[in-house]
Amino acid sequence: MEKEASQLEKDHVHSVYEKIAPHFHDARYKAWPKVQQFLSDQEPGNLIADIGCGNGKYLHINSQTYKLGCDYCFPLVESARNDGHEVMVCHSLCLPYRNECFDAVLSIAGKFCTLAISVGQNFKG
């Protein structure tokens, strides 16, 4: 079952983002107001992760904080990196960060196909 789910995710999520990445940057540039407010409300010096950052459209908000972005789609990560953001390629279900190292974590419109996420799970890490 896990292997089938992983293949479905690859075929219907990852491959789609790889194909649309060249146009994604031009179409996805405006921050959602509540996300922008959340980031603006963060304390100076806070460390924030954007998991599934795509082209990094949220990584420029609130220059008083430190932000790290990651995404599975290499072309989108390259786009964010070209805009000067700290980003890396990795799967959102296998993050290379220590537990509880972030003050805040974003995961906007994430696609978690292969793992059931329980409500209330601590995502601080």
Side-chain angles (χ1 to χ4, degrees):
M1 180 78 157
E2 173 100 13
K3 188 174 181 179
E4 291 173 21
S6 186
Q7 188 61 46
L8 283 171
E9 182 178 29
K10 182 178 179 185
D11 294 344
H12 299 288
V13 178
H14 301 304
S15 66
V16 170
Y17 277 97
E18 295 284 333
K19 288 177 188 169
I20 67 170
H23 310 289
F24 192 88
H25 188 68
D26 296 331
R28 301 288 193 275
Y29 58 89
K30 187 174 180 186
W32 293 352
K34 289 188 178 192
V35 177
Q36 184 165 353
Q37 187 63 53
F38 173 78
L39 290 169
S40 296
D41 289 345
Q42 295 299 306
E43 306 251 340
N46 273 7
L47 181 59
I48 303 167
D50 187 349
I51 310 303
C53 69
N55 63 353
K57 75 177 181 180
Y58 293 109
L59 297 175
H60 73 281
I61 299 170
N62 192 348
S63 63
Q64 299 298 307
T65 61
Y66 299 98
K67 290 171 282 304
L68 298 174
C70 66
D71 201 284
Y72 193 77
C73 180
F74 180 78
L76 291 176
V77 168
E78 281 296 300
S79 178
R81 186 174 290 131
N82 290 339
D83 286 342
H85 301 300
E86 279 295 317
V87 291
M88 62 188 285
V89 174
C90 70
H91 196 291
S92 57
L93 297 179
C94 187
L95 299 173
Y97 308 119
R98 288 184 332 230
N99 289 339
E100 300 184 31
C101 69
F102 294 104
D103 298 297
V105 177
L106 295 178
S107 185
I108 308 300
K111 309 294 184 280
F112 299 104
C113 301
T114 58
L115 179 69
I117 303 294
S118 62
V119 175
Q121 180 177 348
N122 184 358
F123 286 100
K124 195 171 185 177

